[in-house]
Amino acid sequence: SQQGEEDPQALSIQEGENATMNCSYKTSINNLQWYRQNSGRGLVHLILIRSNEREKHSGRLRVTLDTSKKSSSLLITASRAADTASYFCATDARTGANNLFFGTGTRLTVIP
Amino acid sequence: DAGITQSPRHKVTETGTPVTLRCHQTENHRYMYWYRQDPGHGLRLIHYSYGVKDTDKGEVSDGYSVSRSKTEDFLLTLESATSSQTSVYFCAISESMGSEKLFFGSGTQLSVL
């Protein structure tokens, strides 16, 4: 399966600290995306990084991609209570699939 | 949620009954998707559509059918619901084919008893 795997499954930090989540995947990709899901809601797109990029920033988010290790990390700096959510990585498959493959997510809790 | 409405938001039904979930978008996006979300499995694609009356199977399509008669509406039907289809169902849309950014609806919680 192409499905990504996030690590850790759950993470609890104090407000103001940085949060790092990791994603590993199995096959070659065109791009990798990160999504956030608040409880009881749909997923919201955060950032997309293409296979020829190594790092990308968006506000307090920093994403890295290492295609040689088939892994990505999402760093949220100066976390806030509102960042409490589940975070998912999603990968496409370079060979023909027409959809994104989602991991099982990291549940982030930011304690005020 | 990006002009996507799913209905109903919650449904409880009995094994063997037919169920139809509806996804309505106001974004005029060409591509529409149905995913299910289950603990330990992440989101898995059921079916997707790349235009009116153009649909294809996803990773977990058995027991499901879809229809798209208008750009804005994508229906997911469980012909004869089973307990294994208890899940949260999400509709998503995108402007381009599935490897690009998706916009999700708020989901439908379906319980099959």
Side-chain angles (χ1 to χ4, degrees):
Chain A
S1 169
Q2 169 65 13
Q3 185 182 35
E5 293 289 337
E6 289 91 346
D7 171 61
Q9 290 188 330
L11 179 61
S12 184
I13 60 173
Q14 295 289 331
E15 199 166 32
E17 293 180 339
N18 296 341
T20 300
M21 289 158 270
N22 303 296
C23 170
S24 60
Y25 57 92
K26 295 180 181 178
T27 66
S28 296
I29 60 171
N30 293 309
N31 64 58
L32 183 144
Q33 303 180 41
W34 285 90
Y35 287 79
R36 183 185 74 204
Q37 184 180 34
N38 290 92
S39 182
R41 304 300 301 271
L43 278 73
V44 175
H45 181 267
L46 294 176
I47 196 165
L48 180 153
I49 186 166
R50 301 197 182 278
S51 59
N52 61 353
E53 298 176 308
R54 292 296 168 258
E55 187 171 314
K56 201 163 183 179
H57 296 254
S58 177
R60 294 184 295 113
L61 304 180
R62 172 178 171 254
V63 170
T64 62
L65 179 64
D66 186 336
T67 53
S68 66
K69 295 181 179 178
K70 292 185 171 59
S71 67
S72 173
S73 67
L74 170 67
L75 169 67
I76 304 174
T77 60
S79 64
R80 305 167 182 168
D83 294 328
T84 293
S86 292
Y87 292 82
F88 296 85
C89 67
T91 56
D92 66 347
R94 186 169 284 179
T95 55
N98 293 318
N99 61 282
L100 293 178
F101 294 89
F102 287 83
T104 52
T106 292
R107 175 68 188 170
L108 173 66
T109 301
V110 181
I111 302 167
Chain B
D1 287 317
I4 306 169
T5 304
Q6 291 187 232
S7 59
R9 289 296 313 276
H10 303 273
K11 185 169 182 65
V12 179
T13 190
E14 293 184 348
T15 299
T17 60
V19 176
T20 295
L21 308 183
R22 180 177 182 247
C23 178
H24 178 80
Q25 62 145 329
T26 58
E27 306 297 322
N28 201 36
H29 284 357
R30 178 179 173 185
Y31 300 92
M32 299 185 75
Y33 312 82
W34 277 107
Y35 284 87
R36 60 178 289 175
Q37 184 176 32
D38 304 288
H41 289 278
L43 275 81
R44 293 178 292 173
L45 182 68
I46 304 170
H47 282 278
Y48 66 96
S49 170
Y50 46 97
V52 174
K53 297 184 180 179
D54 292 323
T55 65
D56 206 347
K57 296 179 180 180
E59 186 183 357
V60 290
S61 59
D62 287 348
Y64 302 94
S65 62
V66 290
S67 65
R68 191 168 179 200
S69 59
K70 298 185 289 184
T71 298
E72 57 266 34
D73 290 327
F74 193 32
L75 303 181
L76 176 70
T77 297
L78 291 65
E79 300 292 346
S80 178
T82 67
S83 58
S84 65
Q85 293 176 314
T86 292
S87 186
V88 181
Y89 291 86
F90 287 98
C91 174
I93 64 175
S94 68
E95 291 184 275
S96 56
M97 185 43 91
S99 65
E100 299 294 325
K101 177 180 178 179
L102 299 182
F103 299 91
F104 283 84
S106 296
T108 294
Q109 173 68 62
L110 175 67
S111 297
V112 183
L113 306 178

